[in-house]
Amino acid sequence: MTTDAELAGQLAVEAGKLLLDVRTEGANLEPKELGDRGDARSNALLLERLAAQRPGDAVLSEESADSSARLEADRVWIIDPLDGTREFSHPGRDDWAVHVALWQQGKGITDAAVAQPDRDTVYVTGDVALAPRTGAGRILVSASRPPEFAAGVAADLGGELVSMGSAGAKAMAVLRGEADAYLHAGGQWEWDSAAPAGVVQAAGLFASRVDGSPLEYNAPNPYLPDLVVCRPELADDILASIAKHSA
Ligand SMILES: Nc1ncnc2c1ncn2[C@@H]1O[C@H](COP(=O)(O)O)[C@@H](OP(=O)(O)O)[C@H]1O
Ligand SMILES: [Mg+2]
């Protein structure tokens, strides 16, 4: 039988291929329409595959109505069928991703995959490692909603802020060593960070809330507004700097 990690990887890749087709076929659509089509088609594929392959499991998806059934479930797939919808809608951008994560009662995120279809790459728990540090000093933030403390943290570290779309794309850039950290605050949902955090933690990177507390999933309200992902040796300095600039 396919393991949960293998399934997460397969589904993220399959949805990513579908999204590449959607973008090719929809080249003449308005960006909003293209993004909506990508969200919907990828979500439908992932829900269908999960229902077939793991019929007893619950699902929490950005693109589906939430159900309280997941709060009683032992296994919940937390999926973002298209993270970085804005960037996906603008051909030439590769900073978008597909997130597939499995949460299990008492264990947290156990298996996860982040696909970056435009890079022809998927990152899967159990088969990932932190790469050498080529992006020293680079701190990744949202292009549209960078945290207020981010400039102060960059100054403390002697680094620079770099904008990039998609939580998954930013977290995987840290995994690849192209940046030291990804900082986010002020709003996000469980599906934005579940798979990226699962993958980077499996590779030995640090991931937590911006106050240093653990990321917790499958909460009644899936709003999970902030996140730090960084190389492990920088975690103490970054958390201290965030606290200083958040005061
Ligand atoms: N303040 C906020 N409130 C809610 N969601 C936010 C947010 N800031 C970022 N996000 C979500 O986090 C993901 C990464 O954002 P960004 O690209 O700006 O870094 C995006 O997911 P989606 O593209 O799946 O909607 C975006 O919608
Ligand atoms: Mg998202």
Side-chain angles (χ1 to χ4, degrees):
M1 183 168 127
T2 310
T3 68
D4 291 319
E6 286 167 352
L7 180 63
Q10 288 170 9
L11 296 188
V13 167
E14 191 180 357
K17 286 188 176 139
L18 175 70
L19 286 164
L20 290 173
D21 289 344
V22 167
R23 194 154 70 160
T24 302
E25 290 161 14
N28 296 324
L29 295 176
E30 292 297 319
K32 168 87 172 75
E33 207 180 335
L34 181 58
D36 288 349
R37 188 178 290 187
D39 281 334
R41 298 261 306 266
S42 180
N43 190 50
L45 182 145
L46 291 171
L47 293 185
E48 185 190 315
R49 295 290 188 271
L50 286 170
Q53 304 269 337
R54 296 292 188 271
D57 294 355
V59 179
L60 170 64
S61 169
E62 170 164 17
E63 304 301 332
S64 298
D66 194 6
S67 160
S68 59
R70 69 179 172 81
L71 299 176
E72 310 300 324
D74 285 335
R75 292 166 51 95
V76 182
W77 292 88
I78 301 177
I79 61 172
D80 189 339
L82 173 50
D83 184 62
T85 305
R86 198 176 22 240
E87 288 72 23
F88 168 82
S89 308
H90 292 91
R93 299 290 301 248
D94 69 0
D95 44 352
W96 53 280
V98 180
H99 298 175
V100 179
L102 174 64
W103 173 93
Q104 297 193 62
Q105 179 67 49
K107 299 178 184 167
I109 303 295
T110 53
D111 304 271
V114 175
Q116 289 198 260
D118 262 333
R119 301 178 64 101
D120 199 18
T121 302
V122 64
Y123 303 88
V124 186
T125 49
D127 189 25
V128 278
L130 175 57
R133 188 182 183 197
T134 57
R138 287 163 59 92
I139 297 175
L140 301 176
V141 292
S142 166
S144 57
R145 290 161 281 195
E148 288 182 11
F149 55 68
V153 175
D156 284 354
L157 297 181
E160 56 169 342
L161 296 182
V162 177
S163 298
M164 185 184 286
S166 164
K170 284 190 276 290
M172 296 309 104
V174 179
L175 179 70
R176 288 194 300 273
E178 295 166 7
D180 281 340
Y182 163 33
L183 307 180
H184 188 77
Q188 217 166 43
W189 298 87
E190 288 188 11
W191 44 77
D192 293 310
S193 66
V199 168
V200 299
Q201 287 177 328
L205 280 83
F206 179 84
S208 75
R209 301 285 305 271
V210 293
D211 65 0
S213 63
L215 292 156
E216 289 180 357
Y217 295 93
N218 200 32
N221 178 359
Y223 189 62
L224 187 53
D226 55 73
L227 168 73
V228 179
V229 168
C230 67
R231 300 184 72 84
E233 67 272 24
L234 301 176
D236 288 348
D237 285 351
I238 288 176
L239 289 174
S241 179
I242 291 171
K244 180 176 124 187
H245 293 286
S246 301

